[in-house]
Amino acid sequence: MSKNIESLIRPNIAALCPYSTARDEYQGNIGIFLDANESPYENGWNRYPDPHQKQLKSIISGIRGVPADNIFLGNGSDEAIDLIFRIFCIPGKDKALAISPSYGMYEVCAATNDVALEKVPLRKDFSLDTEALMDKAGANVKVIFLCSPNNPSGNAFPKEQLLEIAGRFDGIVVVDEAYIDYSSIPSLINDAVSEEYGNIIVLQTMSKARGMAALRLGMAFSSKRIISLMSMVKYPYNISKATQEIAAGILKRDISAQVKETIDERKRVARALEGIGCVRTVWPSEANFILVEVDDANERYGQLIEAGVIVRNRTKVAGCHNCLRISIGTKEENDRMLAILSGNEASFESSGRSAEICRKTRETDIRIRVNLDRNPQSPGGFGRVDTGLKFFDHMLDQIVHHGGISLDIRCMGDLEVDEHHTIEDVGLALGEAILKALGDKRGIGRYGFALPMDESRAIVLLDFGGRPELVWDVEFTREYVGDVPTEMFGHFFRSLSTAMKANLYVQARGENNHHIAESIFKAFARSIRQAVAMNAFEGELPSSKGIL
């Protein structure tokens, strides 16, 4: 049944008159703005952001299936945690409960707000003891924090158990679902916004599955009354315009394939860990990490650090003696970690020509890894592309699959402006990575390829001779293919040619614009495969000049 929330609110908060921003008093978009003491000189950032994040909440509402009025957005979930203490707990008087082990910020925020936090130990298998929790929920306990899936143990608590606690407790029950996207246990989000309970606050984050840790964006879902209180107490412009706009763009991406890949890798890594001699226990996980008990956590942590692999040593955390918390990375990263723990690091060391390029500008943030000698399907191989442009990703995937090279491309660009910077900068970074991986170019095939595709045909002639030049002879009849302007394909290959210091001749004809573009990328992939092939000249430079 619904709880009496009003009796839980601190008296000073209940009587608080919230700060009224200029955008609260006038909410239109047309006019001369002389109301907020802003700079009148337009640079894209001179106006205050929407203090209520209406557009972003509308997008989240559609994704999560709850009304926008039931959503609070904070500077990370940590802001929401702090607000909960400030709204419901009287300093020096009220108390809160948290399970142990669990997320450390509950304790930090409690101490910051002068609120005593009592910890209820989980059972040895990290399951939740409901009766032990309720026994502690006595007088002056206003809030219970339950992280599910829990950090660092990784397990999720049954939904029925969490709802039972919410039903029996007269205070606020906070269910922190930071890792819910990886869990098979259903979210409590619909219960939090329903009238049946009224005392549940569900926390979620954009930092994990959504990949926005650097943006610092957390979410809280609860009754309209609780959300209104959080909105009243927060600082007026707590979410910047940049965060709102970038998040809105990223939220349009489908992350289901990435989540599935992480879950599949979690299962594979767990099975592999169980066969390693130094591992004692691999705890079941519903998150994007695994808690592992080893023979000596300090020694194994140092062993991994020395090899350049960073995990979390949790041995000093209650209930986690000799435990490491290992996040799930890419297949290649996970394989390296497994090889180090198993003592087979030498056999894992990447063979062949590889490079990593990180390129960051005001418009784009790009990370590209390439290994010219590892097939994406081979052990230690990798193939992943994410630029925010689906058709561009589809084209770049052709380089991975038809070039037979391992390639990992991640780009966060200013797509809210347009596609130009993303496509151009990926071309520059990819060309730089390929050039770096080629090294001194001794023994390579050097030259290029042609390819038919359906009714289309493409010729891509490639020369790694060190003299960048692009001849672009391609005819498109549409302005866009998918989400990519067709004019940008030529621009991409010009950037690529320049950065990898190669001569490219590209010619393509056809009736279907999709097929024309795809045939070009496939032909380029095949030309790369032929041109970087080794031993064609038995370790010598394929040049009469003696230099490339």
Side-chain angles (χ1 to χ4, degrees):
M1 61 181 178
S2 181
K3 305 290 182 175
N4 181 13
I5 298 300
E6 301 304 318
S7 65
L8 301 174
I9 304 170
R10 284 172 51 182
N12 63 306
I13 299 298
L16 181 66
C17 181
Y19 178 78
S20 178
T21 72
R23 296 291 76 83
D24 287 307
E25 295 171 16
Y26 176 76
Q27 300 182 23
N29 295 315
I30 300 174
I32 297 174
F33 291 94
L34 303 177
D35 58 345
N37 301 334
E38 301 156 323
S39 169
Y41 302 106
E42 182 63 45
N43 62 10
W45 308 104
N46 56 309
R47 301 295 180 184
Y48 284 110
D50 175 9
H52 306 296
Q53 309 98 32
K54 291 186 288 292
Q55 180 184 4
L56 188 53
K57 286 180 180 178
S58 177
I59 295 172
I60 295 170
S61 173
I63 294 172
R64 292 307 196 205
V66 299
D69 289 344
N70 294 97
I71 302 172
F72 170 83
L73 298 182
N75 188 342
S77 297
D78 298 338
E79 181 181 5
I81 293 169
D82 182 62
L83 287 175
I84 290 166
F85 280 106
R86 287 199 275 152
I87 292 168
F88 297 108
C89 297
I90 299 174
K93 176 184 176 183
D94 290 332
K95 300 178 181 179
L97 294 182
I99 54 177
S100 177
S102 195
Y103 183 41
M105 276 305 296
Y106 310 139
E107 187 171 10
V108 172
C109 285
T112 302
N113 286 280
D114 192 20
V115 175
L117 182 77
E118 295 190 27
K119 299 179 182 179
V120 180
L122 296 173
R123 298 187 180 102
K124 289 186 177 181
D125 63 354
F126 296 119
S127 61
L128 175 59
D129 188 337
T130 299
E131 296 309 318
L133 186 73
M134 298 311 299
D135 285 346
K136 289 276 191 178
N140 294 331
V141 174
K142 289 287 192 70
V143 184
I144 296 176
F145 288 92
L146 301 170
C147 188
S148 181
N150 188 38
N151 177 9
S153 57
N155 60 313
F157 307 120
K159 181 176 180 179
E160 296 76 17
Q161 186 178 27
L162 298 176
L163 290 177
E164 178 190 351
I165 292 168
R168 293 173 59 180
F169 183 54
D170 290 329
I172 302 296
V173 176
V174 181
V175 182
D176 192 340
E177 296 183 343
Y179 305 95
I180 194 65
D181 293 289
Y182 306 103
S183 179
S184 62
I185 304 296
S187 169
L188 264 68
I189 189 171
N190 290 323
D191 303 283
V193 304
S194 72
E195 296 181 0
E196 182 178 357
Y197 291 92
N199 65 331
I200 300 176
I201 302 175
V202 167
L203 303 181
Q204 293 184 3
T205 181
M206 299 291 188
S207 298
K208 311 302 179 184
R210 289 285 171 182
M212 298 187 224
L215 291 181
R216 307 307 305 131
L217 188 61
M219 300 172 285
F221 303 89
S222 191
S223 66
K224 292 180 181 180
R225 176 55 173 154
I226 289 179
I227 295 300
S228 70
L229 288 166
M230 297 178 76
S231 300
M232 181 175 68
V233 177
K234 77 173 180 69
Y235 291 122
Y237 302 105
N238 62 326
I239 308 296
S240 73
K241 177 183 177 182
T243 295
Q244 292 184 47
E245 291 182 353
I246 295 172
I250 295 177
L251 281 170
K252 296 175 183 177
R253 302 179 186 179
D254 182 4
I255 63 169
S256 57
Q258 293 181 356
V259 170
K260 182 181 183 303
E261 183 176 329
T262 298
I263 293 172
D264 290 343
E265 273 295 283
R266 181 186 72 198
K267 295 175 182 177
R268 183 184 72 87
V269 170
R271 289 193 298 268
L273 285 167
E274 289 173 349
I276 295 177
C278 68
V279 174
R280 299 293 179 261
T281 305
V282 179
W283 296 101
S285 176
E286 294 276 341
N288 67 334
F289 60 84
I290 302 173
L291 188 69
V292 182
E293 181 188 357
V294 295
D295 52 358
D296 188 324
N298 293 329
E299 179 181 345
R300 300 304 170 190
Y301 178 75
Q303 178 184 355
L304 288 163
I305 287 288
E306 187 175 349
V309 176
I310 300 93
V311 298
R312 289 297 297 272
N313 186 351
R314 304 281 78 186
T315 191
K316 294 182 179 180
V317 174
C320 298
H321 181 62
N322 274 334
C323 285
L324 302 176
R325 194 195 69 190
I326 303 173
S327 300
I328 300 300
T330 64
K331 182 179 183 299
E332 183 186 34
E333 292 168 341
N334 298 332
D335 284 344
R336 182 172 179 81
M337 177 273 298
L338 292 168
I340 294 165
L341 280 182
S342 62
N344 295 324
E345 180 185 4
S347 65
F348 175 80
E349 287 296 331
S350 296
S351 61
R353 298 158 295 169
S354 62
E356 179 173 343
I357 296 296
C358 295
R359 189 177 192 276
K360 190 170 184 177
T361 70
R362 291 182 179 180
E363 294 89 13
T364 58
D365 188 349
I366 300 172
R367 176 176 179 256
I368 293 181
R369 294 183 302 134
V370 62
N371 189 314
L372 300 177
D373 298 314
R374 277 190 182 271
N375 186 290
Q377 306 303 321
S378 66
F382 50 93
R384 181 182 298 184
V385 177
D386 184 7
T387 67
L389 295 168
K390 290 186 179 298
F391 189 77
F392 191 38
D393 290 351
H394 179 47
M395 294 298 98
L396 293 171
D397 277 333
Q398 307 309 312
I399 302 175
V400 177
H401 297 296
H402 292 276
I405 62 176
S406 287
L407 189 60
D408 188 341
I409 301 176
R410 314 287 181 87
C411 175
M412 182 178 293
D414 57 351
L415 295 179
E416 70 278 3
V417 177
D418 71 4
E419 309 87 350
H420 184 98
H421 294 136
T422 290
I423 296 173
E424 177 183 57
D425 289 1
V426 167
L428 291 170
L430 178 57
E432 187 179 350
I434 291 172
L435 181 65
K436 183 178 178 181
L438 280 172
D440 62 12
K441 303 180 185 176
R442 292 183 181 276
I444 67 170
R446 178 176 171 175
Y447 295 106
F449 210 83
L451 184 90
M453 179 178 171
D454 296 331
E455 87 297 337
S456 302
R457 70 184 186 278
I459 299 173
V460 175
L461 305 179
L462 170 64
D463 176 15
F464 278 118
R467 297 183 299 277
E469 183 65 45
L470 173 70
V471 176
W472 182 256
D473 182 12
V474 181
E475 295 181 3
F476 288 105
T477 58
R478 286 164 49 189
E479 182 180 358
Y480 273 81
V481 179
D483 52 4
V484 178
T486 51
E487 66 177 7
M488 288 305 300
F489 289 121
H491 199 74
F492 167 77
F493 280 101
R494 185 171 299 282
S495 299
L496 185 65
S497 168
T498 300
M500 67 182 184
K501 297 183 179 180
N503 183 282
L504 273 176
Y505 172 85
V506 182
Q507 183 187 65
R509 296 290 187 273
E511 298 175 6
N512 183 290
N513 286 264
H514 182 130
H515 291 163
I516 293 172
E518 190 167 345
S519 65
I520 293 170
F521 277 83
K522 285 182 176 179
F524 172 74
R526 289 289 178 163
S527 70
I528 280 283
R529 185 170 186 167
Q530 184 175 357
V532 304
M534 291 293 290
N535 300 320
F537 288 84
E538 299 181 349
E540 298 298 322
L541 282 175
S543 170
S544 59
K545 299 179 183 294
I547 187 172
L548 284 177

